[in-house]
Amino acid sequence: MHRWRCKSAINFWLLSLPITSHAVWPFEPKRFSGNSLLNAGSMGLTDPGRVIAFGDFNGDQFLDILMLGSDQRTLSVHLWNHEEYTFQKSSSLKHFGDVYNVVPGDFTHSGKLDLLVMSGSWASGSLDLSVYPALTDGGFDVKSRFSIDSSSQSQPIPLDLNGDMKIDLLGMTPESQHSSTETFQTWKNVWNASQPQSPLFEVIDSPFHGSQCTISNPHSNAVVDLDGDCLADVFLVCDNGNGMKYFQIWINNKHNGFSLAHQGSLPSGVQSITFADIDRDGTIDMVFTTCNSVSSSSGVGTNCYINIAFNQQLPLCASAQPAFTKGVRICRPPDNLCVADPNFRFEFSGQPDVFISFPVSALFPDASMLVQDTTFSPSVPVSLRLGDANLDGFPDMLLVVSTSQGRTPKMVYSVPCERGKAGCDQDGNGKRGWQVATKGVDSLEAVKDARGISFVDMDEDGTLDLMVHRTGDSGKGNILFVQNNFYYDAFFLKAIVLNGACNNGWCNTEDGKRYHPFGVSYSGASYKYTVLDLSGRRSAAQVGQLPQTSYHALQSPYSFFGLGRTNNYIENLFVGSTIHSQNHYINMEGVIPNSKVVILPSANEGEAWKRELFLRPGDWIPWVTVTVVAGTALLAIIVLVLHLNEKREDELERRRASHHINFDAL
């Protein structure tokens, strides 16, 4: 009887063990399960409208969202709630006119993101510019709105023209666009916080020395380093008046303004242009689409091509290769990447290592490409979105294709070249090939009413997720987030250069509150890095910070780049700014992967830049902890057993010695 009771008690304990162990399980259950792209829903963005910009509005280092309502006038900020894992509406304002674009930026140099709103009547031929300054407690000061001199319909771009880390604007005024000499105009930031009545901008002639063009509308203007000196240059898309477009590249000469370095015709039917280091050689390349024609009602292009113009620059030096030959620089050493190459160039024809062009049908047979969002008035260009979705160090691609079943968002991976891959020649040669993602993409394939797609890192976990703009049944637009839940055996890095507000320290309010200016990045910062792969091969890559903001570019305020598989620290991370000092960049050695670097540049010559590194523990950290604890416990048990055995042997030996009789002493 007693034995039966003991057995029953043991069985009861065994049955209850899974429940008990689940209650004390130290790891939180995964929010998303499955090695695929998973439908995450609207993530709190249930209001009709569209996402018009990204930004860190409360400085908590989580990406927030700015939405434009279906009335095209209401702007609302949705802050990311890390604990609830969703976006929550924080503040809103209603603009007086139809909004065409919004650029978040710290225009008042207060350490908070203000809003530059471009609006007006499209029939007037100009854009009304307004800035809503940020309030320290959140929201925007509607009563103290700044009205700025209007621009032409070609949207101005933010950049730092004079090296003071304040955001200026470059564009055209309604009068200057018809000028034959000074087409470009600069909205110089002259804000003085000690004089509240002072203007925010002053319109002056721009510091551009050369033949100026008429900026196209729409355009793909960018502020990005193109000659390799880690100092942001200016890329402009121009209109010759006959329907053809050409480009101008203006090199930043610091104190001597900008000089025209290159000018050339763009291929016929060019659409939006984006920039990224496609082949991971440490230079920024040009990616764009061309179409024979575009439907004005649907925005779908016919006979579209994807084109990549590789930036021809000095390569990275091999480990034992000298940087100079007969006094001429032939390569960049790994510890000195920010060297300008005045002979850089882009070509739109030639070998696959210079320029490649392949039809969209090579990736998607019987499909066309969406190049304009006609649900917005006026239409907004739908550009290729570039980002490293699988963290291998090579940017991947997002686009929307149109078939008889509807408009579906697609993801295309950058892969090594081989025979049959798009972007490679018949023999399989080329810099990079392209392959459509087909595994685990059911959540994308289910969408048939897409009108745009972008990369966004939800919860800042180091993987690029997807955000899809949908038309919806109401025609007002819905937002769908897709969680990138693939497991990638690779590393990433995030970086952001701040604008020097509050002397890059704590900002103080009048009521004694303090906050960090963590959300105030600006266009023009540049990053170059070298890293070793698992076989010891060194490669370089370059990434720009917020190079484009016009026409709903939807680029994040920080820079994100995959590092691929590596068992080492980042050898050299060069961080460039727009400061007009002798050294406008720094070199950081031994940066830890899977982290976020915040760089606080100093405008004072000789003063060290501040750097802060934030590590985000991965999901594998608890398992490593358990493994270390278990291993330590096992080793402790082994040591204890050996110690007890040794102690027992010592005791036996002592006893044998005590019973030993020394006959010589008798």
Side-chain angles (χ1 to χ4, degrees):
M1 187 68 178
H2 176 71
R3 181 181 299 177
W4 181 86
R5 288 180 179 177
C6 291
K7 187 176 181 180
S8 299
I10 292 173
N11 289 339
F12 178 79
W13 177 78
L14 290 174
L15 290 173
S16 63
L17 183 60
I19 301 176
T20 306
S21 63
H22 177 76
V24 298
W25 186 245
F27 310 120
E28 294 182 1
K30 286 185 175 295
R31 191 176 299 272
F32 297 97
S33 60
N35 192 30
S36 63
L37 297 177
L38 302 175
N39 188 324
S42 62
M43 302 301 293
L45 303 184
T46 57
D47 295 339
R50 63 186 297 119
V51 175
I52 196 170
F54 297 134
D56 182 5
F57 290 94
N58 56 352
D60 63 351
Q61 301 195 58
F62 286 99
L63 193 67
D64 307 314
I65 277 178
L66 180 68
M67 286 198 68
L68 176 63
S70 57
D71 60 355
Q72 208 166 321
R73 295 191 177 193
T74 303
L75 297 169
S76 56
V77 174
H78 295 255
L79 302 178
W80 177 255
N81 188 314
H82 174 64
E83 287 74 19
E84 300 294 333
Y85 203 84
T86 187
F87 290 100
Q88 295 180 343
K89 189 173 182 179
S90 171
S91 61
S92 63
L93 63 89
K94 191 163 186 177
H95 193 61
F96 58 84
D98 291 344
V99 176
Y100 302 129
N101 191 40
V102 181
V103 179
D106 186 15
F107 298 96
T108 58
H109 223 59
S110 64
K112 290 282 189 179
L113 285 182
D114 312 312
L115 294 182
L116 169 63
V117 180
M118 305 177 189
S119 63
S121 172
W122 197 249
S124 66
S126 63
L127 287 177
D128 294 329
L129 304 181
S130 304
V131 171
Y132 292 92
L135 297 172
T136 55
D137 293 331
F140 304 95
D141 191 349
V142 179
K143 297 181 180 179
S144 301
R145 175 180 61 88
F146 293 96
S147 290
I148 307 169
D149 292 346
S150 299
S151 75
S152 66
Q153 290 185 349
S154 301
Q155 297 179 7
I157 59 174
L159 74 168
D160 178 17
L161 285 170
N162 53 1
D164 60 357
M165 301 292 287
K166 294 182 179 180
I167 302 178
D168 309 306
L169 301 177
L170 174 67
M172 301 183 302
T173 62
E175 297 77 23
S176 70
Q177 65 179 334
H178 304 295
S179 173
S180 59
T181 56
E182 295 294 334
T183 308
F184 304 156
Q185 293 292 294
T186 297
W187 284 256
K188 182 181 178 181
N189 193 323
V190 294
W191 171 249
N192 187 348
S194 61
Q195 299 178 3
Q197 302 302 321
S198 66
L200 183 59
F201 289 104
E202 178 184 355
V203 179
I204 60 174
D205 292 339
S206 59
F208 284 71
H209 309 300
S211 177
Q212 300 179 7
C213 69
T214 300
I215 299 176
S216 178
N217 179 40
H219 60 70
S220 301
N221 297 349
V223 183
V224 63
D225 173 30
L226 295 176
D227 65 347
D229 61 353
C230 298
L231 187 63
D233 308 307
V234 176
F235 177 90
L236 299 178
V237 178
C238 306
D239 195 339
N240 64 1
N242 297 322
M244 297 297 293
K245 296 181 180 180
Y246 64 101
F247 72 94
Q248 288 187 339
I249 297 178
W250 296 81
I251 297 301
N252 193 336
N253 300 312
K254 288 188 181 180
H255 300 288
N256 296 323
F258 294 79
S259 58
L260 182 60
H262 292 283
Q263 177 175 300
S265 299
L266 290 167
S268 176
V270 64
Q271 304 299 315
S272 298
I273 304 173
T274 53
F275 298 87
D277 187 355
I278 298 297
D279 54 347
R280 199 179 183 183
D281 64 346
T283 62
I284 297 293
D285 307 310
M286 186 189 308
V287 185
F288 58 94
T289 54
T290 54
C291 300
N292 281 359
S293 62
V294 179
S295 171
S296 59
S297 59
S298 65
V300 176
T302 59
N303 196 21
C304 294
Y305 279 72
I306 297 176
N307 310 271
I308 303 175
F310 294 102
N311 195 335
Q312 305 298 298
Q313 277 193 37
L314 293 171
L316 178 69
C317 295
S319 57
Q321 180 183 0
F324 294 89
T325 297
K326 297 181 180 180
V328 178
R329 183 180 291 276
I330 59 173
C331 61
R332 291 189 179 98
D335 58 351
N336 191 16
L337 295 181
C338 294
V339 177
D341 182 3
N343 299 317
F344 82 97
R345 66 189 185 278
F346 290 99
E347 298 179 7
F348 301 113
S349 63
Q351 299 299 319
D353 60 340
V354 175
F355 178 76
I356 61 173
S357 179
F358 57 92
V360 174
S361 59
L363 296 171
F364 309 100
D366 303 323
S368 303
M369 183 178 175
L370 183 69
V371 295
Q372 291 182 6
D373 180 7
T374 57
T375 63
F376 190 82
S377 179
S379 298
V380 175
V382 179
S383 60
L384 294 171
R385 308 294 188 183
L386 303 176
D388 192 358
N390 55 3
L391 307 182
D392 64 349
F394 296 92
D396 306 305
M397 189 183 302
L398 296 178
L399 67 159
V400 178
V401 299
S402 177
T403 63
S404 58
Q405 286 76 33
R407 299 190 304 273
T408 305
K410 298 286 186 177
M411 183 162 66
V412 182
Y413 288 123
S414 174
V415 296
C417 252
E418 61 182 40
R419 187 187 299 271
K421 297 294 184 184
C424 309
D425 61 16
Q426 296 180 352
D427 298 326
N429 299 321
K431 288 199 171 184
R432 296 299 292 177
W434 301 90
Q435 177 177 295
V436 180
T438 57
K439 179 182 178 182
V441 295
D442 294 342
S443 57
L444 289 182
E445 295 295 332
V447 178
K448 302 301 180 183
D449 59 348
R451 55 175 178 166
I453 183 171
S454 303
F455 282 111
V456 57
D457 184 5
M458 293 189 299
D459 203 42
E460 304 295 332
D461 60 358
T463 57
L464 288 182
D465 309 303
L466 314 179
M467 184 188 71
V468 182
H469 277 105
R470 305 182 64 176
T471 302
D473 297 334
S474 63
K476 302 299 183 180
N478 294 319
I479 307 298
L480 170 67
F481 288 91
V482 178
Q483 174 80 18
N484 184 355
N485 211 51
F486 286 110
Y487 173 74
Y488 303 113
D489 186 16
F491 295 95
F492 71 92
L493 185 72
K494 289 185 178 183
I496 184 171
V497 175
L498 305 184
N499 66 346
C502 310
N503 294 322
N504 285 325
W506 286 92
C507 299
N508 299 306
T509 64
E510 295 180 355
D511 55 359
K513 295 182 180 180
R514 306 175 70 196
Y515 59 90
H516 273 302
F518 279 149
V520 291
S521 67
Y522 70 103
S523 300
S526 180
Y527 307 92
K528 282 188 175 184
Y529 70 90
T530 57
V531 68
L532 296 174
D533 61 16
L534 297 181
S535 61
R537 291 191 298 266
R538 178 183 289 108
S539 61
Q542 184 176 9
V543 183
Q545 177 172 292
L546 202 60
Q548 294 173 308
T549 57
S550 301
Y551 303 95
H552 307 188
L554 290 181
Q555 296 184 347
S556 64
Y558 52 76
S559 295
F560 180 98
F561 30 98
L563 302 176
R565 300 184 65 188
T566 178
N567 55 4
N568 206 342
Y569 298 105
I570 299 174
E571 282 190 313
N572 295 279
L573 174 63
F574 288 85
V575 181
S577 70
T578 56
I579 294 177
H580 288 181
S581 60
Q582 183 177 359
N583 294 320
H584 61 273
Y585 63 88
I586 59 172
N587 178 16
M588 302 174 60
E589 298 181 353
V591 177
I592 303 174
N594 282 16
S595 62
K596 181 176 181 179
V597 182
V598 178
I599 300 97
L600 306 95
S602 174
N604 300 324
E605 194 73 40
E607 184 175 329
W609 293 16
K610 298 178 183 178
R611 288 156 281 187
E612 298 186 32
L613 183 71
F614 297 88
L615 294 176
R616 178 182 177 88
D619 294 336
W620 42 265
I621 291 295
W623 294 105
V624 172
T625 304
V626 170
T627 304
V628 171
V629 171
T632 303
L634 180 62
L635 291 176
I637 293 173
I638 295 174
V639 170
L640 180 61
V641 171
L642 294 176
H643 173 71
L644 293 177
N645 287 339
E646 182 70 17
K647 187 176 181 180
R648 185 172 58 85
E649 292 293 334
D650 291 344
E651 181 64 22
L652 292 176
E653 185 176 353
R654 186 188 65 80
R655 290 180 180 180
R656 285 195 296 268
S658 64
H659 289 85
H660 179 71
I661 300 175
N662 189 350
F663 292 95
D664 295 336
L666 296 177

